[in-house]
Amino acid sequence: MDKPPFSDGVPSIGGSTLNYIDGHWEPASNGKWCERFDPADQTVLVARAPDSSREDARRAVAAASRVQDVWRGWTAPERGRRLFDWLRWIDARRDKLAELLTREEGKILPESAGEVKRSMDILEYTAGMGRRLDGKIYPAEEHDVLCYSIPQPLGVVGLISPWNFPVAIPVWKLAPALIAGNTAVLKPSPLTPLTATMLVRGLEEVGIPPGVVNLVHGGVEPGQELISNEAVNGVSFTGSTKVGKAIARAGSERLLKLQLELGGKNPQIVLDDADLDQAVNGVVTGGLGSTGQRCTATSRALVTEKVYDDFLSRLVARAGSMKVGPGVESGVEIGPLVDDRALSSVSRWVRIAAEEGAGICTGGSRVLSPELAKGIFHQPTVLEAKQGMQITQEEIFGPVVAVIRVKDFDEAISVANSVRYGLTSTVFTRDISKVFRFAEMAQAGIIHVNRPGVGGYSHVPFGGIKESGYGGREVGDEVMNFYTETKMVYVNYK
Ligand code: NAD
């Protein structure tokens, strides 16, 4: 097979995909494969993908190193034009890409379409940086000296992505990496090989030179090679905090430049004066949307006493009536969990919560109705919890929200900040002074007021603090702090 089966650039569902190294499509050198089944119907094979070894990643890094000078030799506007071509290529196939995403990852079609749209917006903004990648001129301390900075590419970058945003995250890593003049090795999640394959096929078709972008499928092994390989100058990783910490430890051995986007345990505060319809919608969208499988998922609702009962009963009614089913079916609001491991983990957390005394207000189990039994569906679940229980502290990554009663604004802030994560934090209130106090005091990289705590604009920095993020923001102009090094130049022209 000289390349995977594509139809107008779209990989076939149920087919085998390949690695893309130095401009060639090829299987893993060890001959191993991973299989991915449709999470909405596990009897359906979605893809076979190479289960690559360190050797495949090593060869991909070598290819990226060989063409480094070629790619950085292109002017930034030339690189930008190629990324605009990629944008048009994706646009022409956006519905197909969204469908692939839903079949492979499970999220409902409108969410997949939204993810593809966001990826395109980010790509548009980043491609335009080809004409905005500027340095700075500094005042000189001496006469007849010009002091200025040049942003330079790192060289070869490793990009390791998770399964839950398998289009947006590779795009928001590849686009800034390339526009800055870096060459790249993308290692997507083994659960979402087809979307990554399609994105890379697009780059090939718009004429990105061989070796500039390489794709290595597989799990831990090729990922570890990207961390330890001396020819990799930086790694941008999105995934769990546990793996992120392991990468930070391994990377510190050689002072590897790292950008880590990690997990979350995001709170939404609801104060006495909140618009309760908006606040309930905030939790439903933020906590149960995308089946709760978002780093930004709202997994804690902290509600003040006066509105607590009203809020809880409205939330329970809304969550309990949500339609669960395959993401391709219209009207479905909650798709499947990504795999059996995710299901066992969510079930375990619900069990622990119940053992610790949390009340299960709605949901709490796998959906086993005959028409959904072949998929990995879990009921939208609302728990009444007490601060300090494990489910108020740990990321669950499923459609489970813990509602916690708090006395007032001050207690809400202290509970909100009581976790080791700091990705997003949200408040619903009409009190302007509390809005700004919250924005000041909430320990999170992204704050939302009177809107769901998920999503973000495509030209705005994205990322978290505490154990949610490390090494600078993604998206927007700030992303260049990672993908470039600042070189200072002093010129005496006397
Ligand atoms: P994961 O940490 O299991 O895997 C992420 C990626 O790292 C995958 O490609 C995986 O194959 C690879 N990997 C695993 N072990 C590795 C190792 N030792 N060395 C190198 N690479 C390794 O995460 P996941 O289950 O794919 O994704 C879900 C997690 O991602 C959640 O915790 C979620 O909060 C987080 N996430 C964070 C953000 C953010 O921007 N902060 C966005 C999306 C997802």
Side-chain angles (χ1 to χ4, degrees):
M1 188 167 37
D2 62 348
K3 60 175 163 34
F6 290 111
S7 159
D8 184 32
V10 184
S12 317
I13 289 180
S16 296
T17 183
L18 296 171
N19 290 336
Y20 181 68
I21 298 175
D22 206 8
H24 302 289
W25 292 95
E26 53 185 56
S29 50
N30 58 17
K32 291 190 188 166
W33 297 89
C34 343
E35 291 186 327
R36 173 68 179 146
F37 292 89
D38 184 340
D41 180 348
Q42 290 188 287
T43 61
V44 177
L45 180 72
V46 171
R48 281 173 85 233
D51 186 3
S52 308
S53 65
R54 290 183 85 118
E55 175 54 24
D56 302 297
R58 211 172 287 138
R59 290 182 36 253
V61 170
S65 300
R66 277 196 298 277
V67 292
Q68 227 304 291
D69 285 346
V70 174
W71 184 241
R72 71 189 285 171
W74 287 36
T75 64
E78 280 169 345
R79 295 195 294 263
R81 271 198 293 278
R82 238 12 103 89
L83 290 189
F84 278 119
D85 292 342
W86 191 33
L87 172 61
R88 282 186 285 272
W89 189 95
I90 294 172
D91 194 12
R93 296 156 185 83
R94 59 195 298 172
D95 295 340
K96 292 272 170 41
L97 181 55
E99 192 192 325
L100 205 59
L101 204 173
T102 290
R103 293 295 303 278
E104 179 171 73
E105 196 265 0
K107 67 180 64 170
I108 60 174
L109 259 182
E111 287 169 343
S112 293
E115 178 174 342
V116 171
K117 163 85 168 59
R118 183 162 180 218
S119 311
M120 289 169 49
D121 290 346
I122 291 173
L123 181 51
E124 179 184 52
Y125 183 79
T126 315
M129 281 186 189
R131 293 193 178 272
R132 295 199 311 275
L133 272 182
D134 47 8
K136 195 170 165 185
I137 296 178
Y138 292 80
E141 288 182 3
E142 305 149 276
H143 291 290
D144 302 324
V145 168
L146 178 66
C147 176
Y148 67 98
S149 66
I150 323 176
Q152 298 233 295
L154 302 185
V156 176
V157 291
L159 311 175
I160 303 178
S161 56
W163 50 265
N164 69 330
F165 283 91
V167 174
I169 293 176
V171 167
W172 86 36
K173 291 185 190 301
L174 279 165
L178 294 176
I179 200 80
N182 299 287
T183 54
V185 179
L186 172 65
K187 208 298 289 170
S189 165
L191 301 183
T192 50
L194 289 186
T195 38
T197 299
M198 181 164 165
L199 291 172
V200 170
R201 175 65 172 173
L203 286 165
E204 182 189 24
E205 288 200 352
V206 301
I208 296 285
V212 170
V213 172
N214 303 273
L215 171 67
V216 179
H217 293 286
V220 177
E221 275 195 41
Q224 285 178 329
E225 179 62 26
L226 296 180
I227 308 300
S228 62
N229 192 309
E230 295 281 342
V232 176
N233 307 99
V235 167
S236 177
F237 165 87
T238 301
S240 60
T241 296
K242 185 167 167 231
V243 173
K245 283 182 178 178
I247 286 177
R249 279 192 295 274
S252 69
E253 272 300 307
R254 61 183 189 93
L255 301 182
L256 174 64
K257 189 173 186 187
L258 284 176
Q259 183 183 52
L260 307 174
E261 292 297 343
L262 309 171
K265 187 70 192 172
N266 310 291
Q268 175 185 305
I269 294 175
V270 182
L271 297 179
D272 286 351
D273 64 344
D275 176 325
L276 286 195
D277 286 336
Q278 272 188 4
V280 167
N281 181 53
V283 172
V284 168
T285 307
L288 304 174
S290 297
T291 322
Q293 299 179 120
R294 274 172 156 148
C295 52
T296 51
T298 301
S299 59
R300 297 180 292 150
L302 319 180
V303 188
T304 48
E305 277 170 0
K306 205 170 112 198
V307 288
Y308 182 88
D309 291 337
D310 196 4
F311 174 85
L312 184 62
S313 64
R314 290 196 209 192
L315 175 62
V316 168
R318 178 75 182 86
S321 65
M322 288 178 89
K323 186 166 177 205
V324 180
V328 288
E329 271 179 25
S330 73
V332 164
E333 294 172 281
I334 299 199
L337 287 166
V338 75
D339 64 3
D340 288 324
R341 259 183 67 208
L343 177 66
S344 332
S345 166
V346 170
S347 308
R348 184 176 151 265
W349 278 117
V350 173
R351 204 170 51 246
I352 291 174
E355 282 164 13
E356 286 192 309
I360 299 175
C361 306
T362 184
S365 319
R366 179 179 188 173
V367 181
L368 278 173
S369 56
E371 65 282 10
L372 296 184
K374 287 191 208 152
I376 316 164
F377 295 98
H378 195 279
Q379 296 168 325
T381 299
V382 177
L383 304 172
E384 230 187 333
K386 289 218 163 47
Q387 170 62 0
M389 290 176 173
Q390 288 182 70
I391 41 144
T392 66
Q393 302 294 305
E394 301 299 333
E395 184 178 52
I396 295 180
F397 231 59
V400 179
V401 175
V403 183
I404 303 166
R405 188 189 291 266
V406 289
K407 195 160 71 310
D408 53 18
F409 177 68
D410 289 337
E411 188 184 0
I413 291 268
S414 123
V415 171
N417 289 343
S418 69
V419 294
R420 62 194 170 105
Y421 298 104
L423 189 48
T424 72
S425 200
T426 302
V427 70
F428 282 77
T429 181
R430 296 280 151 200
D431 181 333
I432 191 85
S433 86
K434 293 207 173 83
V435 166
F436 287 106
R437 271 175 65 207
F438 174 77
E440 186 60 35
M441 293 164 73
Q443 295 171 356
I446 305 165
I447 305 297
H448 293 277
V449 177
N450 296 326
R451 61 199 300 274
V454 288
Y457 293 158
S458 302
H459 51 283
V460 171
F462 177 92
I465 62 170
K466 295 166 83 176
E467 292 196 8
S468 290
Y470 175 88
R473 297 289 183 265
E474 299 203 87
V475 191
D477 290 342
E478 276 195 34
V479 73
M480 283 305 157
N481 295 338
F482 175 73
Y483 287 103
T484 60
E485 296 285 13
T486 300
K487 183 186 277 179
M488 293 308 312
V489 185
Y490 294 81
V491 181
N492 171 5
Y493 56 90
K494 199 156 19 190

